[in-house]
Structure formats: C-alpha cells, structure tokens
Amino acid sequence: TLNRHQCIKGEKTDKLVFQENRNGGVSVNWGSDNQDAGLENGILKASLELINGRGVNAANDSDRSERGFNYYQDVLDTFANKLAGMLNSSIAETIDEQGNGIKYRNLVGEAEYDSNGNLTVNANRNVTAANISVSESFIRDPSQITRVTISHPNGYGEEIESSSNQYIQNLKTQIFDEKHEIDIGNAYSRNEKFTGTLNDFVIDFTGKNASDVTYAKTKYEQSESYSNELQNNRDSVTNVSETKETMNMLTFNKAFQAAAKMMTTMDELLDVVINQIGALG
C-alpha cells in the first residue's frame, strides 16, 4: 500500500499518473480510479508543491500555499504589466498647446508573430513577463520620443522636435520615486498587495526569492545530514566484519573437514564389520 491505497495485489498493479489540469496546475492520480494520490511526503509531494505553489494567492484545488513556480510567475507577470502601463502612459505623442499629454506612445506590448514569423507588438493586449516586447516602431526610430504633435483647437496638428525631457523625468519619477499599490496574483486571485515604488517591488521580489532559496537549501542539507546519519547507524548494525567472518569461515571449514573425516572413518568401520560378518557366516 502507498498512502493507504493498495497498489500491488498478487499480479495486479496500479500506477501513478502525472497529468496537467485545465487550471494550469498538475496532479498525481491513481490510474485505476483517477483519484488524487494523496501524497503526504516524499519527492513527488515536494515536486507538486514546487510546480503548483501559488502562495497566498492560491485560488483552486491544485494551487498550493507554498511559494513555487506559479507564485513567482504571477509576481513577474504583475511587474511586467505594471511596467508596461507606466511606459505606455509616460512619453507623449500628442499634446495640447499647454503641453498636456493627449495621446501617449506605446513603447512596449505583447509580442505577436504572424505566419511568416514577422514580429508585431500589440500594446492593447495583456502584457506578461513571457510576452513583453519593445515596440518595433521604437526599435526602428528611438528618436521618436523627442518628437511631439501639438494639437491646436482649430483642428490642425503641428509636429515639433521637443527639447524638453519632462516626459522622461516623469517616467523616472514613476519608477523610482512614486509609491504604487500593486495587486499581486493571477486573474482568479490577488490576495497579496504591495505598496511602494516599482524599484522597491524588484528589491522585495529578489529578497523573497533569495530567502526561499536559502530556506530550501538549508532544509535539503539538514535532510541529507539526517539521511547520512541514519544510513551510518544502519550500517553499524548490519555491517559485516571481514576479520570475524574470515575466522568463522576457517572454523566452519575445519569442522566440515572433521565431519567428513568422521564419515569416512565410519564408512571404513562399517565395511570391516560387514565383511567380517559375511566371512563368519
């Protein structure tokens, strides 16, 4: 049995099945009835926690409360989405006569590829850490961020070369100085909130990551130490002494030779007795 499930009975065996779920998680079920294996410990349970770990943002049955791949993916997606929003709302493309932004340049967006493999960037789609990409128009002409169109009330636009770094400074302020309230999580659950600058967000993320790595490494080293200690204790009980067993082998060999000699003597004795009895008869 494994976790109170009978997996071997005579010639019949059950198997563990690893499968991906529709909600993006993974599970390990019994092949006979597709029921959850109910793993309580071991490397399989640890692997599931690592893959399905979504931390405090767990939203379904397969999500785990540990901070695993899903948690850190959610954090990176949140960061990418927030950064894209800042970049795409900072550099003015069209301003009014007072210099107020009316329309802003889309500097980043979701990377998309057509059937010919050509890249396009869609700033109106949901940006994630996996698909964020710099706009192809910005790559072709980075100097475009210095040109703006002044929209006049009478309806015509006048493009000018702006020497003002006001919009770049605004972007810098948003990233390094302004505090934001950021909801961390996926589309189904955003229980964790962060308040601070975007720079602080990166520092907090890397700190949590380093802390989790250190914790996991420490637990691994402790477990390895306990495992080695148990193995040494087991060996000390069941270990075979070559010197002692060599002496036993010699002793048993001598005993065997003595027993063989005795059997030979008895055989000779019986032979004499039988022959003598036969002679007397």
Side-chain angles (χ1 to χ4, degrees):
T1 59
L2 179 63
N3 292 336
R4 296 175 296 279
H5 179 89
Q6 189 167 30
C7 49
I8 298 177
K9 182 179 181 180
E11 295 182 352
K12 295 182 179 180
T13 60
D14 204 349
K15 62 181 179 180
L16 291 170
V17 179
F18 174 87
Q19 62 185 24
E20 296 185 22
N21 305 326
R22 287 180 296 177
N23 55 27
V26 298
S27 61
V28 175
N29 300 332
W30 287 110
S32 59
D33 53 14
N34 202 36
Q35 293 297 311
D36 186 87
L39 303 171
E40 299 175 353
N41 49 50
I43 191 171
L44 291 179
K45 178 176 182 294
S47 298
L48 287 179
E49 291 175 351
L50 187 63
I51 297 172
N52 294 334
R54 187 153 258 137
V56 297
N57 300 309
N60 52 60
D61 293 338
S62 66
D63 285 345
R64 301 299 179 97
S65 60
E66 294 77 16
R67 291 201 293 254
F69 292 156
N70 285 339
Y71 174 80
Y72 283 108
Q73 180 175 313
D74 290 343
V75 173
L76 290 173
D77 287 344
T78 300
F79 173 76
N81 194 269
K82 188 70 176 179
L83 179 63
M86 290 182 181
L87 291 172
N88 293 337
S89 62
S90 298
I91 307 300
E93 180 179 2
T94 306
I95 60 175
D96 59 21
E97 290 185 306
Q98 287 72 42
N100 300 314
I102 299 175
K103 182 182 178 182
Y104 292 87
R105 296 187 183 278
N106 292 325
L107 302 182
V108 297
E110 178 187 4
E112 296 177 336
Y113 294 89
D114 60 21
S115 57
N116 297 321
N118 299 317
L119 171 67
T120 58
V121 176
N122 190 337
N124 298 319
R125 298 284 294 275
N126 183 42
V127 176
T128 67
N131 64 33
I132 189 171
S133 182
V134 179
S135 166
E136 66 271 22
S137 62
F138 180 60
I139 293 175
R140 286 195 303 267
D141 183 17
S143 65
Q144 65 177 281
I145 64 174
T146 65
R147 297 191 299 271
V148 295
T149 299
I150 301 177
S151 178
H152 295 279
N154 55 13
Y156 77 92
E158 175 189 2
E159 186 177 81
I160 64 171
E161 190 75 21
S162 175
S163 60
S164 173
N165 62 356
Q166 169 190 349
Y167 304 113
I168 295 294
Q169 288 298 326
N170 289 342
L171 177 59
K172 177 179 179 295
T173 299
Q174 284 193 72
I175 295 177
F176 293 100
D177 300 325
E178 288 185 8
K179 289 188 176 182
H180 310 272
E181 187 173 279
I182 304 174
D183 295 326
I184 302 173
N186 55 20
Y188 305 100
S189 176
R190 290 188 173 92
N191 298 323
E192 186 177 2
K193 294 184 181 295
F194 175 85
T195 301
T197 67
L198 207 61
N199 190 51
D200 292 336
F201 185 91
V202 174
I203 294 174
D204 180 72
F205 166 77
T206 54
K208 285 180 179 177
N209 197 353
S211 175
D212 287 347
V213 169
T214 301
Y215 174 79
K217 184 178 180 180
T218 301
K219 295 292 288 183
Y220 171 79
E221 291 174 348
Q222 290 176 346
S223 299
E224 185 179 40
S225 176
Y226 295 149
S227 175
N228 292 337
E229 183 178 352
L230 289 173
Q231 184 64 39
N232 291 335
N233 290 339
R234 178 179 179 275
D235 290 342
S236 67
V237 174
T238 62
N239 196 23
V240 177
S241 172
E242 293 184 6
T243 302
K244 183 177 179 181
E245 294 306 319
T246 300
M247 293 300 297
N248 289 337
M249 183 178 67
L250 293 174
T251 300
F252 296 147
N253 186 53
K254 290 293 185 182
F256 174 78
Q257 291 177 355
K261 181 65 175 176
M262 183 183 68
M263 294 297 294
T264 301
T265 303
M266 289 180 62
D267 182 65
E268 293 176 350
L269 178 61
L270 288 173
D271 180 65
V272 171
V273 171
I274 291 173
N275 288 334
Q276 287 180 352
I277 294 174
L280 291 173

